[in-house]
Amino acid sequence: MIPEKLQSELIERFEKVFKGQFFKGQNGEKVPVKVYEQHLPIPKRNENPHDEFAEEDNSFSFYPAIVVQLSEGIQEKWETPQVITVNVIVGVHDDSEDRSGYKDVRAILRKLSIDLSKNRQMKKQYFLPVPPRWKVHDEDTHPFYFGAMLLEFEEAIQILDEEVNKLT
């Protein structure tokens, strides 16, 4: 499995984990978690041709969000497995006065961690040798709250030359 396939598999897995689960959205309504590859989408601009400083129309609609980012791959020696680092960024929008958005971030991170602990392998080609590390962002970004999880997958098998040639 190439790293991009690992990323796709994680996105699919996380979508299943949160299927049917809802968190607070921009207007206080309950909305599903959205899972994105590498970055949030580019917000669409207000189409008012007379307002050159128009605010972004839909940037709040991306939340709650999980972004699965491929960060790096390291192979210390030829005979050792490659380690693929994946950053999982979680963001929620919560404009309540009690500033409790961090609780939703933590709940999402916890659910991901529990799921990964139950099955640490991805298609039998990558596995998590150590538990994920997580952190809740501690700067004041109200009404947005963020957290992240670091995953370090070891490659279970080396990619054969024939497989690489198929990709070109």
Side-chain angles (χ1 to χ4, degrees):
M1 181 185 299
I2 59 175
E4 290 78 9
K5 187 71 173 155
L6 170 63
Q7 184 181 35
S8 298
E9 293 290 333
L10 283 168
I11 289 167
E12 185 177 311
R13 180 174 176 167
F14 294 163
E15 287 172 340
K16 287 178 185 174
V17 167
F18 288 98
K19 185 176 182 175
Q21 298 215 345
F22 300 90
F23 291 85
K24 188 175 180 183
Q26 75 183 63
N27 295 321
E29 76 282 7
K30 295 291 186 176
V31 295
V33 175
K34 298 166 196 76
V35 186
Y36 300 101
E37 180 180 286
Q38 206 66 19
H39 302 285
L40 289 175
I42 296 172
K44 292 189 173 142
R45 303 291 295 168
N46 184 337
E47 297 298 326
N48 182 348
H50 304 292
D51 185 0
E52 65 183 79
F53 301 105
E55 291 297 317
E56 297 165 348
D57 278 342
N58 69 339
S59 60
F60 292 162
S61 67
F62 300 142
Y63 298 95
I66 298 171
V67 180
V68 179
Q69 293 182 333
L70 283 180
S71 179
E72 68 178 343
I74 299 172
Q75 187 171 359
E76 298 291 335
K77 297 179 181 177
W78 290 112
E79 33 316 314
T80 60
Q82 180 176 207
V83 176
I84 306 295
T85 302
V86 178
N87 296 318
V88 179
I89 292 117
V90 173
V92 301
H93 177 270
D94 183 352
D95 58 3
S96 63
E97 289 184 18
D98 68 358
R99 302 168 67 92
S100 61
Y102 73 94
K103 291 179 183 178
D104 282 346
V105 168
R106 184 60 199 114
I108 292 169
L109 289 170
R110 179 77 178 139
K111 191 159 181 77
L112 292 173
S113 183
I114 289 169
D115 178 70
L116 290 165
S117 72
K118 289 178 183 175
N119 182 2
R120 300 181 328 192
Q121 285 194 332
M122 296 296 297
K123 299 285 185 177
K124 297 183 180 181
Q125 295 180 359
Y126 287 98
F127 71 99
L128 284 171
V130 296
R133 289 184 285 178
W134 62 269
K135 180 171 177 51
V136 174
H137 189 66
D138 57 1
E139 289 186 31
D140 185 2
T141 55
H142 180 80
F144 295 97
Y145 296 85
F146 300 97
M149 180 176 285
L150 179 70
L151 306 174
E152 294 177 320
F153 285 92
E154 276 191 14
E155 190 174 35
I157 58 172
Q158 296 293 325
I159 297 174
L160 301 175
D161 287 339
E162 308 93 59
E163 293 179 36
V164 173
N165 289 335
K166 289 178 189 176
L167 299 173
T168 57

